[in-house]
Amino acid sequence: MAFTTHHLRQWKQQQRPIVVLTAWDWAIAQIIDEAGVDIVLVGDSLAMVALGYANTLPLTLEETLHHTRAVVRGVKQALVVCDLPFLSYQESISQAIHSAGLALKEGGAAAVKLEGGHPAMVETISRLTAIGIPVMGHLGLTPQSIHQLGYRQQGKTEAAQEQILREALALEAAGVFAVVLEHIPSELALDISQKLTIPTIGIGAGKYCDGQVLVTADLLGLTERMPPFAKAYTNLRESIAQAVTTYSQEVRLGKFPE
Ligand code: KIV
């Protein structure tokens, strides 16, 4: 059975924590889906972890759709969310409808994620949800605004906290099924999680969110530099380097193939 946005609402009511991981290709998607994650996010972090860009800004919709199709082919159960890349939805409502539509129609995703909660974005999201496109919001540190925000924690002042809360309530009213809260104080994430009926998914937002998301490359120890709030559960960079070194030695010494 494939998970839907309705499951998420139920899980929040049941206080069942929601597990979210990113994926960028078929193999990773298949492994994390079989391991039982609830949501697979084709995050625009694929720009850095799979394509070698310095940040998320250069990623195109074509690249995103290409990776989304690969991920969708690997997933049987989780809800697949496609993160719309920078400048594929900010220009106009019709651009957002077109890009989100392609994410579902050609990418095969079940939902899209858009960053921001200012009034223009809320209007865009209202239109998307009105025509039946499930949307996940993203507030706090929004990496597509890196040149405005940097990678600093957001919501540090009372005014900033009130704004993020206001935006979260506006996104809920616009029909998002969940909202990612990135790099904000945990008390603010708690307050937002208590005030919303939709689930909050935290990353660097403490333990009180309804779910947690990590970039899978960070979890696997594949990234060279990861954010302070991420956690590596293994060190695949080291394991891969070791395996490749052993293989190279065996080939050079005539030990492989036997
Ligand atoms: O692109 C991404 O991986 C994300 C998550 C960190 C939420 O947006």
Side-chain angles (χ1 to χ4, degrees):
M1 176 201 49
F3 294 145
T4 67
T5 56
H6 299 290
H7 290 103
L8 298 187
R9 209 173 263 264
Q10 279 170 17
W11 294 336
K12 168 146 183 151
Q13 283 160 7
Q14 296 160 357
Q15 298 183 345
R16 169 201 181 287
I18 298 163
V19 180
V20 187
L21 277 178
T22 68
W24 52 88
D25 69 11
W26 173 82
I28 290 286
Q30 200 182 40
I31 294 166
I32 67 177
D33 184 57
E34 281 176 8
V37 302
D38 301 315
I39 298 179
V40 173
L41 171 66
V42 187
D44 60 358
S45 54
L46 83 86
M48 293 87 82
V49 304
L51 299 179
Y53 293 128
N55 56 47
T56 60
L57 300 185
L59 187 71
T60 66
L61 184 62
E62 288 67 32
E63 288 166 334
T64 299
L65 293 176
H66 177 75
H67 285 265
T68 301
R69 283 191 288 272
V71 167
V72 166
R73 285 193 286 272
V75 172
K76 290 202 180 96
Q77 179 176 258
L79 180 82
V80 179
V81 180
C82 171
D83 206 2
L84 292 187
F86 179 60
L87 229 53
S88 72
Y89 61 96
Q90 291 96 339
E91 269 179 37
S92 64
I93 291 178
S94 73
Q95 188 206 27
I97 292 176
H98 187 73
S99 300
L102 288 181
L104 270 57
K105 199 177 164 82
E106 290 185 8
V112 292
K113 178 165 84 59
L114 278 67
E115 293 187 5
H118 50 84
M121 195 46 62
V122 172
E123 200 187 335
T124 297
I125 289 173
S126 292
R127 283 292 298 278
L128 292 177
T129 58
I131 61 168
I133 298 180
V135 178
M136 176 182 254
H138 187 156
L139 296 175
L141 174 55
T142 46
Q144 291 178 17
S145 306
I146 179 203
H147 292 307
Q148 205 170 41
L149 305 179
Y151 286 116
R152 282 184 297 277
Q153 189 188 47
Q154 300 299 299
K156 283 188 158 173
T157 64
E158 208 172 304
Q161 295 185 0
E162 278 166 13
Q163 183 177 338
I164 295 173
L165 173 60
R166 238 189 346 265
E167 290 180 348
L169 291 166
L171 286 183
E172 177 171 63
V176 300
F177 66 87
V179 60
V180 170
L181 299 176
E182 180 163 354
H183 209 6
I184 61 168
S186 63
E187 309 74 47
L188 174 60
L190 171 65
D191 189 32
I192 295 172
S193 303
Q194 286 174 339
K195 290 193 166 114
L196 297 188
T197 58
I198 52 163
T200 57
I201 308 295
I203 175 160
K207 60 182 182 183
Y208 302 116
C209 291
D210 302 299
Q212 296 290 330
V213 55
L214 275 183
V215 172
T216 299
D218 291 339
L219 173 143
L220 296 176
L222 278 172
T223 34
E224 265 182 312
R225 276 180 298 125
M226 58 179 199
F229 48 78
K231 180 171 173 185
Y233 285 79
T234 183
N235 190 341
L236 277 198
R237 237 185 135 77
E238 211 171 273
S239 306
I240 292 171
Q242 260 167 24
V244 172
T245 305
T246 308
Y247 163 71
S248 306
Q249 282 167 350
E250 290 195 0
V251 169
R252 288 178 185 132
L253 293 171
K255 284 187 171 173
F256 176 83
E258 285 169 18

